[in-house]
């Protein structure tokens, strides 16, 4: 578990609100899940823009609806102008670990529908290498032990089940691989295991920028090949 930073809640609010400034009238917007993007959603509710949104979890749908945002299912939109979401780990290339909230399957689908995917974090989420947080996996209820053994065979030293089910009625587990040398290789290996509905590794090629709030204010890192 990463150490919480002082004023972490204030940092989350700053990052979340700054990301909302990327949203404009007439956009189709993907809304992530978690305590940081909650502030983006709150800001969007306050801004009163003419936008249509899709939500990555029941929790986000309820929050956004309570703030007066217009929410529809992904199929009604087909594609998104922008998606904004939090993350549990961000490495220097902008690869992400996501899924602490168990919403990473819908989050990945929504992120990949979007022309622009913007990530909001406090600086405690920045890591030199993905892995310390664990890798969330959404797994079919059909054969979780079979799946866990395949994940252990890939090099995980532990696969820890979570209580309850995801919004998609699947199991959630956390696989602990230690530091992940090559997130793209592990992502491909996990994707190839039948019974894993989705893993929480989001590769940098989907990420436009990360908005980071810390003790010195808010800064942004844009993916290297997209320029400053
Ligand atoms: C949920 C996620 C969240 O985006 C991630 O856990 C970050 O949440 P928070 O902003 O509360 O730290 O992936 O599945």
């Amino acid at each position: 578990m990463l150490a919480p930073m002082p004023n972490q809640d204030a940092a989350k609010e700053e990052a979340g609100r700054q990301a909302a400034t990327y949203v404009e009238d007439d956009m189709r917007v993907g809304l992530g899940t978690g305590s940081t993007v909650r502030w983006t959603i709150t800001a969007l509710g306050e801004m009163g823009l003419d936008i249509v949104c899709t939500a990555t979890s029941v929790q986000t749908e309820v929050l956004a609806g309570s703030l007066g945002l217009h929410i529809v299912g992904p199929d009604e939109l087909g594609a998104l102008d922008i998606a904004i979401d939090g993350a549990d780990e961000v490495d220097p290339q902008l690869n992400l670990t996501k899924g602490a909230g168990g919403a990473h399957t819908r989050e990945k689908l929504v992120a990949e529908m979007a022309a622009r995917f913007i990530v909001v974090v406090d600086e405690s989420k920045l890591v030199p290498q993905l892995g310390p947080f664990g890798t969330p996996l959404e797994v079919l209820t059909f054969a979780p032990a079979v799946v866990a053994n395949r994940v252990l065979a890939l090099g995980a030293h532990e696969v820890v089940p979570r209580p309850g089910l995801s919004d998609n009625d699947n199991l959630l587990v956390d696989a602990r691989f230690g530091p992940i040398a090559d997130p793209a290789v592990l992502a491909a290996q996990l994707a190839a295991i039948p019974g894993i509905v989705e893993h929480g590794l989001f590769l940098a090629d989907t990420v436009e920028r990360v908005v980071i709030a810390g003790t010195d204010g808010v800064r942004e890192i844009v993916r290297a090949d997209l320029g400053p």
Side-chain angles (χ1 to χ4, degrees):
M1 200 58 170
L2 301 169
M5 52 183 279
N7 300 317
Q8 191 175 27
D9 289 340
K12 286 177 185 224
E13 178 171 358
E14 264 193 289
R17 285 186 178 276
Q18 176 147 324
T21 64
Y22 286 99
V23 180
E24 295 169 7
D25 268 334
D26 299 322
M27 282 187 171
R28 299 156 297 172
V29 183
L31 302 176
T33 296
S35 57
T36 313
V37 78
R38 178 172 75 90
W39 289 108
T40 307
I41 298 165
T42 302
L44 292 176
E46 292 167 0
M47 287 157 74
L49 297 171
D50 184 12
I51 56 176
V52 186
C53 305
T54 199
T56 54
S57 63
V58 172
Q59 175 194 315
T60 289
E61 185 172 355
V62 169
L63 171 67
S66 75
L67 295 168
L69 293 169
H70 179 198
I71 305 291
V72 299
D75 282 357
E76 281 188 55
L77 297 175
L80 300 170
D81 299 292
I82 191 168
I84 304 174
D85 204 346
D88 303 303
E89 291 178 329
V90 181
D91 79 6
Q93 288 72 45
L94 308 190
N95 297 301
L96 315 174
T97 300
K98 287 183 51 54
H104 58 276
T105 299
R106 295 188 188 191
E107 290 173 337
K108 192 174 287 186
L109 191 152
V110 166
E112 293 194 2
M113 286 172 66
R116 307 180 68 185
F117 179 40
I118 297 183
V119 177
V120 286
V121 294
D122 66 78
E123 64 187 4
S124 73
K125 306 292 184 67
L126 303 182
V127 294
Q129 219 171 3
L130 301 186
F133 185 82
T135 303
L137 305 174
E138 180 161 353
V139 173
L140 288 183
T141 55
F142 179 59
V146 173
V147 171
N149 282 332
R150 296 281 304 270
V151 174
L152 291 167
L154 277 186
H157 51 82
E158 207 180 12
V159 177
V160 182
R162 296 190 202 171
L165 296 176
S166 72
D167 285 351
N168 311 309
D169 289 330
N170 293 309
L171 295 168
L172 294 161
V173 305
D174 294 289
R176 307 206 180 284
F177 290 96
I180 297 171
D182 189 335
V185 168
L186 182 59
Q189 289 171 324
L190 291 169
I193 297 179
I196 293 183
V197 177
E198 193 53 79
H199 59 80
L201 296 175
F202 285 46
L203 299 181
D205 60 3
T206 61
V207 178
E208 177 193 296
R209 70 184 60 224
V210 181
V211 180
I212 305 152
T215 43
D216 295 334
V218 183
R219 65 196 165 101
E220 299 191 5
I221 304 178
V222 179
R223 201 178 78 221
D225 58 296
L226 297 177

